[in-house]
């Protein structure tokens, strides 16, 4: 259950009202000097949160000249709740005590008299009370902040513990997939290759070739999943379905720049989810392995991102061609029409694209064009790097 706090402006208005009431009770209109200082101290409380020391100094003359001391007490409390300077607070409490003693009816203060000492002690206690209360409020506020920080740290610790457990489970699952499934699929691919070479029956040869191709494709997918599972602390999105050529047009359309896609490759529909234990449908003979499709998608994605970041106002053209057993992708942009804004970058995008292409037996290179633009080129084997 949350407590409802009074809004600061309402609280300030209430304090000003109480101070004015104190002035009305203790100060008469026949004393204009005292009345002026008392009213100034009362209205100055509206600024107590912004300039607490100045408000206290304004209230001191009113304390010294009359019995309307509420404004001085409120100002001293506010200063104590906002300031951490102990010497300053002690000096302010002493100043309040002296001014309050001056305002007593008897002008002669004899410290040898018991009554005077009692009065001094009472006045000093009156000045110390708002200081102690203000410091108590400040300590409570600091403790609340510390408790909030501790609670946040505990939540973060629980999150790290959960991520550590998940990372261990993922690493164990990756080892099992690599040691068991990868070995068996590799054995299937080797057996299918031997059968393809050793038989003369065309139907058996085609069946063996299909089995070997699907085994190699499965191994590629398995390597990717194992690398994802071994990446402890990776984002959950890495386990979602990976992009393919079917998503390329949507990527170009949603790039946020003027871009066109030209390709002679068939655009396959998004893969349908598997039902039960049914195996996924094999790729068509003229299709591309999922690893190659992902590499093309990521290359185009990085290139369009670089155009948007480093060449504002430029138009881009994406070309994907299938020639001689290789897939060639070029992303070309015109010269920028606006100055580029300095954006943070780790400069790992092109390095990652080159590493991905090398794993598939391809290459990535880039460079400026004669018209002031830029071009990124990717070349991959159409069937990947088995």
């Amino acid at each position: 259950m949350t407590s409802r706090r009074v809004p600061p402006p309402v609280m300030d208005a209430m304090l000003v009202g109480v101070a004015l009431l104190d002035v009305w009770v203790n100060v008469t209109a026949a004393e204009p000097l005292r009345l002026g200082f008392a009213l100034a101290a009362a209205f100055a409380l509206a600024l107590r949160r912004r300039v607490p020391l100045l408000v206290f100094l304004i209230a001191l003359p009113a304390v010294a000249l009359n019995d309307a001391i509420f404004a001085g007490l409120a100002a001293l409390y506010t200063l104590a709740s906002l300031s951490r300077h102990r010497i300053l607070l002690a000096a302010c409490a002493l100043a309040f005590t002296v001014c309050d003693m001056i305002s007593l009816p008897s002008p002669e203060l004899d410290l040898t008299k018991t009554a005077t000492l009692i009065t001094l002690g009472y006045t000093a206690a009156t000045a110390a009370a708002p200081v102690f209360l203000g410091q108590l409020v400040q300590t409570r506020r600091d403790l609340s902040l510390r408790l909030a920080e501790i609670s946040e740290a505990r939540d973060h610790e629980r999150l790290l513990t959960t991520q550590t457990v998940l990372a261990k489970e993922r690493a164990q699952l990756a080892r099992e997939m690599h040691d068991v499934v990868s070995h068996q699929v590799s054995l299937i691919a080797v057996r299918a290759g031997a059968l393809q070479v050793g038989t003369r029956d065309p139907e058996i040869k085609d069946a063996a070739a299909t089995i070997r191709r699907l085994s190699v494709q499965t191994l590629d997918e398995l390597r990717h999943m194992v690398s994802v599972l071994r990446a402890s602390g990776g984002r959950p999105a890495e386990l979602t379905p990976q992009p393919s050529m079917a998503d390329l047009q949507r990527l170009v359309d949603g790039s946020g720049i003027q871009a066109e896609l030209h390709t002679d490759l068939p655009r396959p529909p998004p893969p349908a989810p598997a039902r039960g234990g049914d195996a996924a449908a094999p790729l068509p003979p003229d299709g591309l392995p999922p690893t190659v499709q992902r590499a093309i998608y990521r290359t185009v994605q990085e290139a369009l991102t670089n155009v948007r970041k480093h060449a504002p106002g430029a138009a881009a053209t994406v070309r994907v061609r299938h020639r001689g057993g290789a897939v060639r992708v070029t992303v070309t942009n015109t010269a920028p029409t606006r100055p580029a804004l300095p954006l943070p970058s780790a400069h790992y995008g092109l390095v990652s694209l080159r590493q991905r292409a090398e794993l598939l037996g391809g290459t990535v290179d880039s460079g400026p064009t004669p018209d002031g633009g830029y071009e990124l080129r990717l070349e991959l084997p159409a069937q990947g790097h088995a």
Side-chain angles (χ1 to χ4, degrees), residues 364-379:
V364 170
D365 60 285
S366 59
T369 59
D371 60 350
Y374 202 82
E375 185 176 84
L376 176 68
R377 297 172 291 274
L378 167 70
E379 183 173 350

Side-chain angles (χ1 to χ4, degrees), residues 95-141:
F96 183 93
T97 303
V98 172
C99 290
D100 197 13
M101 291 291 293
I102 293 175
S103 67
L104 293 176
S106 177
E108 297 181 0
L109 297 177
D110 188 357
L111 297 180
T112 61
K113 295 182 179 180
T114 305
T116 303
L117 293 177
I118 293 176
T119 304
L120 179 61
Y122 174 80
T123 306
T126 303
V131 174
F132 289 148
L133 183 59
Q135 289 286 282
L136 179 63
V137 171
Q138 184 182 117
T139 303
R140 180 181 179 274
R141 185 167 56 243

Side-chain angles (χ1 to χ4, degrees), residues 160 163-164 166-168 170 228-236 238:
L160 291 179
Q163 291 179 348
T164 302
L166 290 177
K168 291 181 179 179
R170 289 168 59 170
V228 169
L229 290 173
R230 283 177 173 173
S232 60
R235 296 175 299 175
E238 293 174 339

Side-chain angles (χ1 to χ4, degrees), residues 351-364 380 385:
V351 175
S352 177
L353 294 181
R354 290 191 179 96
Q355 292 176 349
R356 182 190 292 268
E358 290 174 359
L359 290 176
L360 297 175
T363 58
V364 170
L380 293 173
H385 186 64

Side-chain angles (χ1 to χ4, degrees), residues 66-347:
N66 52 63
D67 293 334
I69 64 172
F70 178 81
L73 292 175
L76 186 57
Y77 160 78
T78 304
L79 180 62
S81 66
L82 297 178
S83 176
R84 300 181 184 276
H85 202 300
R86 301 294 177 83
I87 298 179
L88 174 63
L89 295 178
C92 291
L94 179 60
F96 183 93
T97 303
V98 172
C99 290
D100 197 13
M101 291 291 293
I102 293 175
S103 67
L104 293 176
S106 177
E108 297 181 0
L109 297 177
D110 188 357
L111 297 180
T112 61
K113 295 182 179 180
T114 305
T116 303
L117 293 177
I118 293 176
T119 304
L120 179 61
Y122 174 80
T123 306
T126 303
V131 174
F132 289 148
L133 183 59
Q135 289 286 282
L136 179 63
V137 171
Q138 184 182 117
T139 303
R140 180 181 179 274
R141 185 167 56 243
D142 292 342
L143 288 177
S144 298
L145 293 176
R146 296 295 183 273
L147 289 176
E149 293 176 357
I150 292 174
S151 178
E152 183 179 355
R154 287 180 177 176
D155 293 340
H156 184 63
E157 183 180 0
R158 283 195 292 266
L159 178 61
L160 291 179
T161 302
T162 303
Q163 291 179 348
T164 302
V165 173
L166 290 177
K168 291 181 179 179
E169 293 178 353
R170 289 168 59 170
Q172 183 178 1
L173 181 59
R175 287 193 297 269
E176 294 294 330
M177 292 177 62
H178 181 270
D179 295 341
V180 179
V181 183
S182 178
H183 172 74
Q184 295 178 355
V185 175
S186 300
L187 184 59
I188 293 174
V190 171
R191 293 291 187 181
L195 180 61
Q196 181 182 2
V197 174
T199 185
R200 297 182 179 179
D201 190 331
E203 294 183 0
I204 298 178
K205 188 181 291 292
D206 290 342
T210 301
I211 294 173
R212 184 178 184 277
R213 178 169 57 83
L214 292 178
S215 300
V216 172
Q217 175 189 338
T218 302
L219 281 175
D220 288 337
E221 293 294 325
L222 183 61
R223 292 192 191 100
H224 173 74
M225 291 304 300
V226 168
S227 64
V228 169
L229 290 173
R230 283 177 173 173
S232 60
R235 296 175 299 175
E238 293 174 339
L239 294 176
T240 59
Q242 297 296 307
S244 64
M245 292 296 295
D247 305 306
L248 199 57
Q249 184 64 56
R250 184 167 64 251
L251 172 66
V252 173
D253 295 340
S255 61
I257 60 176
Q258 182 182 352
E260 297 179 352
L261 173 63
H262 303 280
T263 177
D264 60 358
L265 294 176
R267 300 179 185 177
R275 299 180 179 177
D278 297 340
L283 289 171
D286 56 345
L288 297 175
T291 51
V292 175
Q293 295 188 40
R294 282 198 299 271
I296 295 174
Y297 182 94
R298 297 303 185 193
T299 300
V300 175
Q301 183 183 44
E302 179 67 18
L304 295 179
T305 300
N306 288 337
V307 173
R308 187 168 61 248
K309 289 171 56 177
H310 305 299
T317 303
V318 180
R319 293 183 175 86
V320 184
R321 296 288 184 265
H322 188 182
R323 296 287 187 275
V327 179
R328 294 178 177 85
V329 180
T330 60
V331 183
T332 308
N333 65 272
T334 59
T337 59
R338 301 191 303 272
L341 296 176
L343 297 174
S345 175
H347 305 290

